[in-house]
Amino acid sequence: MNTNWGAFITAEPALAKTVEGRFATYTHHVLATLRKDGSPRTTGLEVRFLDGELWLGMMPDSLKALDLRRDPRFALQANPGSGTGMGGGDVRISGRAVEVEDEETRGRYTEEVEPPEPFHLFRTELTEVVRTYVEDETYLVLQVWRPGEPVRTLKRA
């Protein structure tokens, strides 16, 4: 099932708003990709939420772009910021990155974002969104969403 950001917003608008808010708090986030040998690679990345899509833009021939071309699976974690506050919780998105080469789509993205040229552009297909936060200074709460399923909420003391 190919689920973009817009489908997630429709399915779970409150959680989507919280997740977008966490990503909007800081510019740089952490992207995990898979190297040729299957080991993980983590790198910094800016993300954009535009037109119902979560976009990943990258410098030409960057290692993360080459990783995604070879194996599109990724995990993205919002920058937790300084200290332990993490207002809104810790949020992570997993999925598949699909490179966009269509000039019309790239043109619309370029008009809005004005990235340095040239660049790789990937749209995302979500497989999981997770938010973790502390409630009442007592419970660790996990909200887990997967396409086609309602949000599962787990509480641990």
Side-chain angles (χ1 to χ4, degrees), residues 2 5 17 25 30-31 52 55 72 74 133 135-136 138 140:
N2 295 342
W5 189 255
K17 183 177 179 180
T25 302
V30 178
L31 176 71
W55 300 98
F74 74 90
Y133 63 97
E135 182 179 280
D136 298 329
T138 303
L140 180 66

Side-chain angles (χ1 to χ4, degrees), residues 11-12 144-153:
E12 297 294 340
V144 180
W145 176 84
R146 292 190 178 110
E149 299 176 13
V151 171
R152 285 183 307 129
T153 302

Side-chain angles (χ1 to χ4, degrees), residues 60-136:
D61 297 324
S62 63
L63 293 176
K64 59 190 159 202
L66 298 176
D67 287 347
L68 291 172
R69 282 180 159 178
R70 188 177 44 261
D71 185 329
R73 294 176 292 172
F74 74 90
L76 178 65
Q77 182 162 3
N79 185 328
S82 60
T84 59
M86 283 197 302
D90 175 50
V91 296
R92 298 178 304 278
I93 300 170
S94 299
R96 298 171 59 83
V98 178
E99 189 161 15
V100 175
E101 298 188 45
D102 170 64
E103 289 306 318
E104 184 178 328
T105 303
R106 288 176 61 85
R108 285 193 312 271
Y109 180 85
T110 300
E111 278 182 29
E112 186 71 32
V113 177
E114 299 179 0
E117 297 274 356
F119 67 99
H120 293 285
L121 180 62
F122 295 85
R123 66 174 186 75
T124 60
E125 297 175 350
L126 310 181
T127 56
E128 184 177 70
V129 177
V130 178
R131 175 184 178 217
T132 306
Y133 63 97
V134 176
E135 182 179 280
D136 298 329

Side-chain angles (χ1 to χ4, degrees), residues 8-77:
F8 174 55
I9 291 171
T10 299
E12 297 294 340
L15 181 56
K17 183 177 179 180
T18 299
V19 171
E20 271 194 56
R22 283 291 297 119
F23 277 97
T25 302
Y26 297 96
T27 302
H28 296 97
H29 307 287
V30 178
L31 176 71
T33 58
L34 296 169
R35 300 172 191 255
K36 283 182 194 178
D37 67 2
S39 63
R41 179 190 318 273
T42 59
T43 53
L45 180 76
E46 294 181 34
V47 302
R48 297 278 193 250
F49 297 91
L50 296 170
D51 301 325
E53 300 285 356
L54 167 57
W55 300 98
L56 311 176
M58 299 168 202
M59 293 181 358
D61 297 324
S62 63
L63 293 176
K64 59 190 159 202
L66 298 176
D67 287 347
L68 291 172
R69 282 180 159 178
R70 188 177 44 261
D71 185 329
R73 294 176 292 172
F74 74 90
L76 178 65
Q77 182 162 3

